[in-house]
Amino acid sequence: MTFEEIKQGEETYIMHTYGRFPIALDHGKGATLWDTEGKKYIDLTSGIGVNSLGHDNDALTTAISEQAHKLMHACNLYYTEPMVQAAKKLVDAAGMGKIFFANSGAEANEGMIKLARKYSFDKYGEGRNKIITLKQSFHGRTVTTLKATGQDKFHQYFFPFTEGFDYAAANDIEDMKRKIDGTTCAVMMEMIQGEGGVLPLDKEFVQATAEFCKEKDILLLIDEVQTGIGRTGSLFCYEQYGVQPNIISMAKGLGGGVPIGAVMADKKCQDVLGAGTHGTTFGGNPLCCAAANTVLDIVNKPEFLKSVQEKGEYLKKEILAIGSPKVKTVRGMGLMLGIVVDKDERAAMVSQLMEKGVLVLTAGTEAIRLLPPLVITKEEMDEAIAAMREVF
Ligand SMILES: *Cc1c(COP(=O)(O)O)cnc(C)c1O
């Protein structure tokens, strides 16, 4: 199909829930992509933090095709080996208790919310079910995770939303303490608010919140859907904040491109969701877990995680070195970066970068968001920076 035919087909047959850029991607290698017209791009998006090992990674495509030949799906009525391997890798790496596999970030967060509420129900009975999230947060698109998302624009049309959420201002411990009351069972937050604008939380705030929660047996839930699996230079971002969450959710980068999410609980919470209380047909299927196993084997190594930090620092340094008045600052950690620019100029800058062969994302109102594959090479970064130099 030509690009025009694809575009026409999308117009006719696909619900128009997405604003799309005017290119159709066809194939990739590493952090380089080609569209259907043969134009080449440096990929600083990795499909919103998903293609952690880049495109056409040999280890990943081999693991997926070998598993596809053996068994793709078995459903959760039977035991399968790849699921247990992936669970062990994650639980051991994080020093947690047990894991539940799902298929997306929103679904992982749903599981995390259910787990937190049931923990409180089991221990304290009814009525202690409120979850405090942060303003500017993003937790997903289901009816419940939309309500967990602390941005008014997501609380439209789909009434009635799930009750029992309140929102504290990020980095304001006094506001957090005010919002927490006797009906609160958990606090849920991203360490770096991704969709909100690549906004890293302050360490003091996160630690003070964690301490306050611990005193009151309020669970600390960390949404690592975007920040997890090496994205910020540690397997999970919370490690860099020196806190110990009770439950974490993850998804995006975990499967390197196949849909998989997970909710992982510490020893205190690991047995809260018992038989019949939660489930999902596709969750933890052998195909997706084989992919996750490969991603984890590659990413969860000190040298690899260090390379993510170094690449992030290099990108940040080179972007600032352009010295453009259009770039106000670069924030973020590891390979999760936000270039803060003027609101009104951002859309034009993003299209100009695309014309020059660089794909970027946006976040919040003023950030150009970079989430390159973790395996991006220096040459690929330099090509992207050369284009930025022209555009900025
Ligand atoms: C993307 C994202 C989600 C939602 O994940 P989906 O896979 O799109 O459902 C939830 N939380 C955070 C922090 C995210 O970045």
Side-chain angles (χ1 to χ4, degrees), residues 120 127-132 179-187 216-219:
S120 195
R128 188 181 182 274
N129 51 37
K130 193 164 70 182
I131 297 176
I132 313 295
K179 297 286 158 64
I180 289 174
D181 63 20
T183 68
T184 306
C185 68
V187 169
K216 298 184 154 25
D217 196 22
I218 288 167
L219 300 180

mmCIF file with all atom_site columns, all heavy atoms in Angstrom, residues 120 127-132 179-187 216-219:
data_model
loop_
_atom_site.group_PDB
_atom_site.id
_atom_site.type_symbol
_atom_site.label_atom_id
_atom_site.label_alt_id
_atom_site.label_comp_id
_atom_site.label_asym_id
_atom_site.label_entity_id
_atom_site.label_seq_id
_atom_site.pdbx_PDB_ins_code
_atom_site.Cartn_x
_atom_site.Cartn_y
_atom_site.Cartn_z
_atom_site.occupancy
_atom_site.B_iso_or_equiv
_atom_site.pdbx_formal_charge
_atom_site.auth_seq_id
_atom_site.auth_comp_id
_atom_site.auth_asym_id
_atom_site.auth_atom_id
_atom_site.pdbx_PDB_model_num
ATOM 1   N N   . SER A 1 120 ? -6.462  -3.488 52.402 1.00 0.00 ? 120 SER A N   1
ATOM 2   C CA  . SER A 1 120 ? -7.077  -2.700 53.464 1.00 0.00 ? 120 SER A CA  1
ATOM 3   C C   . SER A 1 120 ? -8.397  -3.330 53.932 1.00 0.00 ? 120 SER A C   1
ATOM 4   O O   . SER A 1 120 ? -8.691  -3.357 55.128 1.00 0.00 ? 120 SER A O   1
ATOM 5   C CB  . SER A 1 120 ? -7.317  -1.276 52.973 1.00 0.00 ? 120 SER A CB  1
ATOM 6   O OG  . SER A 1 120 ? -7.569  -0.437 54.059 1.00 0.00 ? 120 SER A OG  1
ATOM 7   N N   . GLY A 1 127 ? -14.645 0.711  53.945 1.00 0.00 ? 127 GLY A N   1
ATOM 8   C CA  . GLY A 1 127 ? -14.581 2.163  54.151 1.00 0.00 ? 127 GLY A CA  1
ATOM 9   C C   . GLY A 1 127 ? -13.185 2.761  54.114 1.00 0.00 ? 127 GLY A C   1
ATOM 10  O O   . GLY A 1 127 ? -13.022 3.975  54.112 1.00 0.00 ? 127 GLY A O   1
ATOM 11  N N   . ARG A 1 128 ? -12.161 1.918  54.102 1.00 0.00 ? 128 ARG A N   1
ATOM 12  C CA  . ARG A 1 128 ? -10.795 2.460  54.036 1.00 0.00 ? 128 ARG A CA  1
ATOM 13  C C   . ARG A 1 128 ? -10.270 2.100  52.644 1.00 0.00 ? 128 ARG A C   1
ATOM 14  O O   . ARG A 1 128 ? -9.599  1.104  52.443 1.00 0.00 ? 128 ARG A O   1
ATOM 15  C CB  . ARG A 1 128 ? -9.945  1.819  55.143 1.00 0.00 ? 128 ARG A CB  1
ATOM 16  C CG  . ARG A 1 128 ? -8.548  2.416  55.336 1.00 0.00 ? 128 ARG A CG  1
ATOM 17  C CD  . ARG A 1 128 ? -7.854  1.649  56.449 1.00 0.00 ? 128 ARG A CD  1
ATOM 18  N NE  . ARG A 1 128 ? -6.522  2.118  56.786 1.00 0.00 ? 128 ARG A NE  1
ATOM 19  C CZ  . ARG A 1 128 ? -5.408  1.737  56.162 1.00 0.00 ? 128 ARG A CZ  1
ATOM 20  N NH1 . ARG A 1 128 ? -5.473  0.929  55.139 1.00 0.00 ? 128 ARG A NH1 1
ATOM 21  N NH2 . ARG A 1 128 ? -4.223  2.188  56.576 1.00 0.00 ? 128 ARG A NH2 1
ATOM 22  N N   . ASN A 1 129 ? -10.643 2.915  51.669 1.00 0.00 ? 129 ASN A N   1
ATOM 23  C CA  . ASN A 1 129 ? -10.366 2.527  50.276 1.00 0.00 ? 129 ASN A CA  1
ATOM 24  C C   . ASN A 1 129 ? -9.870  3.665  49.402 1.00 0.00 ? 129 ASN A C   1
ATOM 25  O O   . ASN A 1 129 ? -9.688  3.504  48.199 1.00 0.00 ? 129 ASN A O   1
ATOM 26  C CB  . ASN A 1 129 ? -11.635 1.933  49.654 1.00 0.00 ? 129 ASN A CB  1
ATOM 27  C CG  . ASN A 1 129 ? -12.831 2.846  49.856 1.00 0.00 ? 129 ASN A CG  1
ATOM 28  O OD1 . ASN A 1 129 ? -12.688 4.070  49.806 1.00 0.00 ? 129 ASN A OD1 1
ATOM 29  N ND2 . ASN A 1 129 ? -13.992 2.266  50.108 1.00 0.00 ? 129 ASN A ND2 1
ATOM 30  N N   . LYS A 1 130 ? -9.640  4.828  49.987 1.00 0.00 ? 130 LYS A N   1
ATOM 31  C CA  . LYS A 1 130 ? -9.247  5.989  49.165 1.00 0.00 ? 130 LYS A CA  1
ATOM 32  C C   . LYS A 1 130 ? -7.766  5.905  48.778 1.00 0.00 ? 130 LYS A C   1
ATOM 33  O O   . LYS A 1 130 ? -6.925  5.495  49.572 1.00 0.00 ? 130 LYS A O   1
ATOM 34  C CB  . LYS A 1 130 ? -9.517  7.286  49.930 1.00 0.00 ? 130 LYS A CB  1
ATOM 35  C CG  . LYS A 1 130 ? -9.438  8.509  49.038 1.00 0.00 ? 130 LYS A CG  1
ATOM 36  C CD  . LYS A 1 130 ? -10.057 9.735  49.672 1.00 0.00 ? 130 LYS A CD  1
ATOM 37  C CE  . LYS A 1 130 ? -9.205  10.229 50.837 1.00 0.00 ? 130 LYS A CE  1
ATOM 38  N NZ  . LYS A 1 130 ? -9.813  11.392 51.491 1.00 0.00 ? 130 LYS A NZ  1
ATOM 39  N N   . ILE A 1 131 ? -7.501  6.287  47.537 1.00 0.00 ? 131 ILE A N   1
ATOM 40  C CA  . ILE A 1 131 ? -6.123  6.288  47.042 1.00 0.00 ? 131 ILE A CA  1
ATOM 41  C C   . ILE A 1 131 ? -5.758  7.714  46.637 1.00 0.00 ? 131 ILE A C   1
ATOM 42  O O   . ILE A 1 131 ? -6.495  8.361  45.881 1.00 0.00 ? 131 ILE A O   1
ATOM 43  C CB  . ILE A 1 131 ? -5.970  5.309  45.857 1.00 0.00 ? 131 ILE A CB  1
ATOM 44  C CG1 . ILE A 1 131 ? -6.255  3.873  46.356 1.00 0.00 ? 131 ILE A CG1 1
ATOM 45  C CG2 . ILE A 1 131 ? -4.568  5.403  45.229 1.00 0.00 ? 131 ILE A CG2 1
ATOM 46  C CD1 . ILE A 1 131 ? -6.247  2.803  45.299 1.00 0.00 ? 131 ILE A CD1 1
ATOM 47  N N   . ILE A 1 132 ? -4.653  8.194  47.170 1.00 0.00 ? 132 ILE A N   1
ATOM 48  C CA  . ILE A 1 132 ? -4.183  9.533  46.822 1.00 0.00 ? 132 ILE A CA  1
ATOM 49  C C   . ILE A 1 132 ? -3.181  9.416  45.677 1.00 0.00 ? 132 ILE A C   1
ATOM 50  O O   . ILE A 1 132 ? -2.201  8.670  45.782 1.00 0.00 ? 132 ILE A O   1
ATOM 51  C CB  . ILE A 1 132 ? -3.477  10.232 48.017 1.00 0.00 ? 132 ILE A CB  1
ATOM 52  C CG1 . ILE A 1 132 ? -4.296  10.105 49.300 1.00 0.00 ? 132 ILE A CG1 1
ATOM 53  C CG2 . ILE A 1 132 ? -3.161  11.692 47.670 1.00 0.00 ? 132 ILE A CG2 1
ATOM 54  C CD1 . ILE A 1 132 ? -5.626  10.796 49.299 1.00 0.00 ? 132 ILE A CD1 1
ATOM 55  N N   . LYS A 1 179 ? -4.325  15.522 52.472 1.00 0.00 ? 179 LYS A N   1
ATOM 56  C CA  . LYS A 1 179 ? -5.235  14.692 51.684 1.00 0.00 ? 179 LYS A CA  1
ATOM 57  C C   . LYS A 1 179 ? -5.408  13.294 52.288 1.00 0.00 ? 179 LYS A C   1
ATOM 58  O O   . LYS A 1 179 ? -6.426  12.645 52.095 1.00 0.00 ? 179 LYS A O   1
ATOM 59  C CB  . LYS A 1 179 ? -4.725  14.570 50.235 1.00 0.00 ? 179 LYS A CB  1
ATOM 60  C CG  . LYS A 1 179 ? -4.680  15.895 49.474 1.00 0.00 ? 179 LYS A CG  1
ATOM 61  C CD  . LYS A 1 179 ? -6.049  16.375 49.066 1.00 0.00 ? 179 LYS A CD  1
ATOM 62  C CE  . LYS A 1 179 ? -6.142  17.878 48.800 1.00 0.00 ? 179 LYS A CE  1
ATOM 63  N NZ  . LYS A 1 179 ? -5.347  18.384 47.688 1.00 0.00 ? 179 LYS A NZ  1
ATOM 64  N N   . ILE A 1 180 ? -4.394  12.840 53.011 1.00 0.00 ? 180 ILE A N   1
ATOM 65  C CA  . ILE A 1 180 ? -4.470  11.510 53.628 1.00 0.00 ? 180 ILE A CA  1
ATOM 66  C C   . ILE A 1 180 ? -5.343  11.593 54.885 1.00 0.00 ? 180 ILE A C   1
ATOM 67  O O   . ILE A 1 180 ? -5.150  12.469 55.719 1.00 0.00 ? 180 ILE A O   1
ATOM 68  C CB  . ILE A 1 180 ? -3.051  10.998 53.993 1.00 0.00 ? 180 ILE A CB  1
ATOM 69  C CG1 . ILE A 1 180 ? -2.289  10.650 52.700 1.00 0.00 ? 180 ILE A CG1 1
ATOM 70  C CG2 . ILE A 1 180 ? -3.135  9.779  54.911 1.00 0.00 ? 180 ILE A CG2 1
ATOM 71  C CD1 . ILE A 1 180 ? -0.825  10.273 52.919 1.00 0.00 ? 180 ILE A CD1 1
ATOM 72  N N   . ASP A 1 181 ? -6.331  10.697 54.986 1.00 0.00 ? 181 ASP A N   1
ATOM 73  C CA  . ASP A 1 181 ? -7.135  10.649 56.216 1.00 0.00 ? 181 ASP A CA  1
ATOM 74  C C   . ASP A 1 181 ? -7.418  9.193  56.591 1.00 0.00 ? 181 ASP A C   1
ATOM 75  O O   . ASP A 1 181 ? -6.820  8.278  56.012 1.00 0.00 ? 181 ASP A O   1
ATOM 76  C CB  . ASP A 1 181 ? -8.428  11.471 56.053 1.00 0.00 ? 181 ASP A CB  1
ATOM 77  C CG  . ASP A 1 181 ? -9.330  10.918 54.960 1.00 0.00 ? 181 ASP A CG  1
ATOM 78  O OD1 . ASP A 1 181 ? -9.173  9.727  54.589 1.00 0.00 ? 181 ASP A OD1 1
ATOM 79  O OD2 . ASP A 1 181 ? -10.201 11.656 54.467 1.00 0.00 ? 181 ASP A OD2 1
ATOM 80  N N   . GLY A 1 182 ? -8.309  8.992  57.513 1.00 0.00 ? 182 GLY A N   1
ATOM 81  C CA  . GLY A 1 182 ? -8.599  7.645  58.034 1.00 0.00 ? 182 GLY A CA  1
ATOM 82  C C   . GLY A 1 182 ? -9.196  6.702  57.002 1.00 0.00 ? 182 GLY A C   1
ATOM 83  O O   . GLY A 1 182 ? -9.260  5.491  57.228 1.00 0.00 ? 182 GLY A O   1
ATOM 84  N N   . THR A 1 183 ? -9.643  7.247  55.858 1.00 0.00 ? 183 THR A N   1
ATOM 85  C CA  . THR A 1 183 ? -10.229 6.384  54.831 1.00 0.00 ? 183 THR A CA  1
ATOM 86  C C   . THR A 1 183 ? -9.213  6.043  53.735 1.00 0.00 ? 183 THR A C   1
ATOM 87  O O   . THR A 1 183 ? -9.545  5.396  52.749 1.00 0.00 ? 183 THR A O   1
ATOM 88  C CB  . THR A 1 183 ? -11.449 7.054  54.157 1.00 0.00 ? 183 THR A CB  1
ATOM 89  O OG1 . THR A 1 183 ? -10.998 8.184  53.391 1.00 0.00 ? 183 THR A OG1 1
ATOM 90  C CG2 . THR A 1 183 ? -12.473 7.514  55.175 1.00 0.00 ? 183 THR A CG2 1
ATOM 91  N N   . THR A 1 184 ? -7.965  6.513  53.901 1.00 0.00 ? 184 THR A N   1
ATOM 92  C CA  . THR A 1 184 ? -6.960  6.313  52.842 1.00 0.00 ? 184 THR A CA  1
ATOM 93  C C   . THR A 1 184 ? -6.286  4.946  52.986 1.00 0.00 ? 184 THR A C   1
ATOM 94  O O   . THR A 1 184 ? -5.841  4.585  54.081 1.00 0.00 ? 184 THR A O   1
ATOM 95  C CB  . THR A 1 184 ? -5.880  7.419  52.924 1.00 0.00 ? 184 THR A CB  1
ATOM 96  O OG1 . THR A 1 184 ? -6.544  8.687  52.886 1.00 0.00 ? 184 THR A OG1 1
ATOM 97  C CG2 . THR A 1 184 ? -4.896  7.318  51.775 1.00 0.00 ? 184 THR A CG2 1
ATOM 98  N N   . CYS A 1 185 ? -6.201  4.219  51.871 1.00 0.00 ? 185 CYS A N   1
ATOM 99  C CA  . CYS A 1 185 ? -5.500  2.925  51.933 1.00 0.00 ? 185 CYS A CA  1
ATOM 100 C C   . CYS A 1 185 ? -4.157  2.962  51.206 1.00 0.00 ? 185 CYS A C   1
ATOM 101 O O   . CYS A 1 185 ? -3.318  2.102  51.434 1.00 0.00 ? 185 CYS A O   1
ATOM 102 C CB  . CYS A 1 185 ? -6.370  1.802  51.358 1.00 0.00 ? 185 CYS A CB  1
ATOM 103 S SG  . CYS A 1 185 ? -6.655  1.912  49.584 1.00 0.00 ? 185 CYS A SG  1
ATOM 104 N N   . ALA A 1 186 ? -3.974  3.919  50.314 1.00 0.00 ? 186 ALA A N   1
ATOM 105 C CA  . ALA A 1 186 ? -2.733  3.904  49.535 1.00 0.00 ? 186 ALA A CA  1
ATOM 106 C C   . ALA A 1 186 ? -2.426  5.261  48.920 1.00 0.00 ? 186 ALA A C   1
ATOM 107 O O   . ALA A 1 186 ? -3.317  6.095  48.737 1.00 0.00 ? 186 ALA A O   1
ATOM 108 C CB  . ALA A 1 186 ? -2.829  2.865  48.414 1.00 0.00 ? 186 ALA A CB  1
ATOM 109 N N   . VAL A 1 187 ? -1.139  5.453  48.619 1.00 0.00 ? 187 VAL A N   1
ATOM 110 C CA  . VAL A 1 187 ? -0.680  6.586  47.810 1.00 0.00 ? 187 VAL A CA  1
ATOM 111 C C   . VAL A 1 187 ? -0.044  5.986  46.571 1.00 0.00 ? 187 VAL A C   1
ATOM 112 O O   . VAL A 1 187 ? 0.700   5.005  46.654 1.00 0.00 ? 187 VAL A O   1
ATOM 113 C CB  . VAL A 1 187 ? 0.357   7.441  48.578 1.00 0.00 ? 187 VAL A CB  1
ATOM 114 C CG1 . VAL A 1 187 ? 1.032   8.447  47.653 1.00 0.00 ? 187 VAL A CG1 1
ATOM 115 C CG2 . VAL A 1 187 ? -0.305  8.140  49.762 1.00 0.00 ? 187 VAL A CG2 1
ATOM 116 N N   . LYS A 1 216 ? 1.376   4.818  59.020 1.00 0.00 ? 216 LYS A N   1
ATOM 117 C CA  . LYS A 1 216 ? -0.078  4.649  59.062 1.00 0.00 ? 216 LYS A CA  1
ATOM 118 C C   . LYS A 1 216 ? -0.559  3.384  58.343 1.00 0.00 ? 216 LYS A C   1
ATOM 119 O O   . LYS A 1 216 ? -1.754  3.226  58.115 1.00 0.00 ? 216 LYS A O   1
ATOM 120 C CB  . LYS A 1 216 ? -0.740  5.882  58.437 1.00 0.00 ? 216 LYS A CB  1
ATOM 121 C CG  . LYS A 1 216 ? -0.434  7.168  59.192 1.00 0.00 ? 216 LYS A CG  1
ATOM 122 C CD  . LYS A 1 216 ? -1.183  8.310  58.572 1.00 0.00 ? 216 LYS A CD  1
ATOM 123 C CE  . LYS A 1 216 ? -1.474  9.450  59.533 1.00 0.00 ? 216 LYS A CE  1
ATOM 124 N NZ  . LYS A 1 216 ? -0.600  9.622  60.668 1.00 0.00 ? 216 LYS A NZ  1
ATOM 125 N N   . ASP A 1 217 ? 0.367   2.504  57.965 1.00 0.00 ? 217 ASP A N   1
ATOM 126 C CA  . ASP A 1 217 ? 0.020   1.311  57.191 1.00 0.00 ? 217 ASP A CA  1
ATOM 127 C C   . ASP A 1 217 ? -0.768  1.662  55.927 1.00 0.00 ? 217 ASP A C   1
ATOM 128 O O   . ASP A 1 217 ? -1.704  0.970  55.539 1.00 0.00 ? 217 ASP A O   1
ATOM 129 C CB  . ASP A 1 217 ? -0.749  0.288  58.054 1.00 0.00 ? 217 ASP A CB  1
ATOM 130 C CG  . ASP A 1 217 ? -0.769  -1.100 57.395 1.00 0.00 ? 217 ASP A CG  1
ATOM 131 O OD1 . ASP A 1 217 ? 0.106   -1.370 56.550 1.00 0.00 ? 217 ASP A OD1 1
ATOM 132 O OD2 . ASP A 1 217 ? -1.685  -1.891 57.718 1.00 0.00 ? 217 ASP A OD2 1
ATOM 133 N N   . ILE A 1 218 ? -0.376  2.764  55.312 1.00 0.00 ? 218 ILE A N   1
ATOM 134 C CA  . ILE A 1 218 ? -0.931  3.145  54.004 1.00 0.00 ? 218 ILE A CA  1
ATOM 135 C C   . ILE A 1 218 ? 0.069   2.640  52.964 1.00 0.00 ? 218 ILE A C   1
ATOM 136 O O   . ILE A 1 218 ? 1.273   2.871  53.107 1.00 0.00 ? 218 ILE A O   1
ATOM 137 C CB  . ILE A 1 218 ? -1.108  4.677  53.934 1.00 0.00 ? 218 ILE A CB  1
ATOM 138 C CG1 . ILE A 1 218 ? -2.279  5.085  54.846 1.00 0.00 ? 218 ILE A CG1 1
ATOM 139 C CG2 . ILE A 1 218 ? -1.319  5.144  52.505 1.00 0.00 ? 218 ILE A CG2 1
ATOM 140 C CD1 . ILE A 1 218 ? -2.361  6.557  55.110 1.00 0.00 ? 218 ILE A CD1 1
ATOM 141 N N   . LEU A 1 219 ? -0.422  1.927  51.968 1.00 0.00 ? 219 LEU A N   1
ATOM 142 C CA  . LEU A 1 219 ? 0.503   1.301  51.020 1.00 0.00 ? 219 LEU A CA  1
ATOM 143 C C   . LEU A 1 219 ? 1.082   2.324  50.037 1.00 0.00 ? 219 LEU A C   1
ATOM 144 O O   . LEU A 1 219 ? 0.382   3.237  49.598 1.00 0.00 ? 219 LEU A O   1
ATOM 145 C CB  . LEU A 1 219 ? -0.200  0.187  50.244 1.00 0.00 ? 219 LEU A CB  1
ATOM 146 C CG  . LEU A 1 219 ? -0.766  -0.964 51.080 1.00 0.00 ? 219 LEU A CG  1
ATOM 147 C CD1 . LEU A 1 219 ? -1.437  -1.998 50.162 1.00 0.00 ? 219 LEU A CD1 1
ATOM 148 C CD2 . LEU A 1 219 ? 0.311   -1.636 51.934 1.00 0.00 ? 219 LEU A CD2 1
#
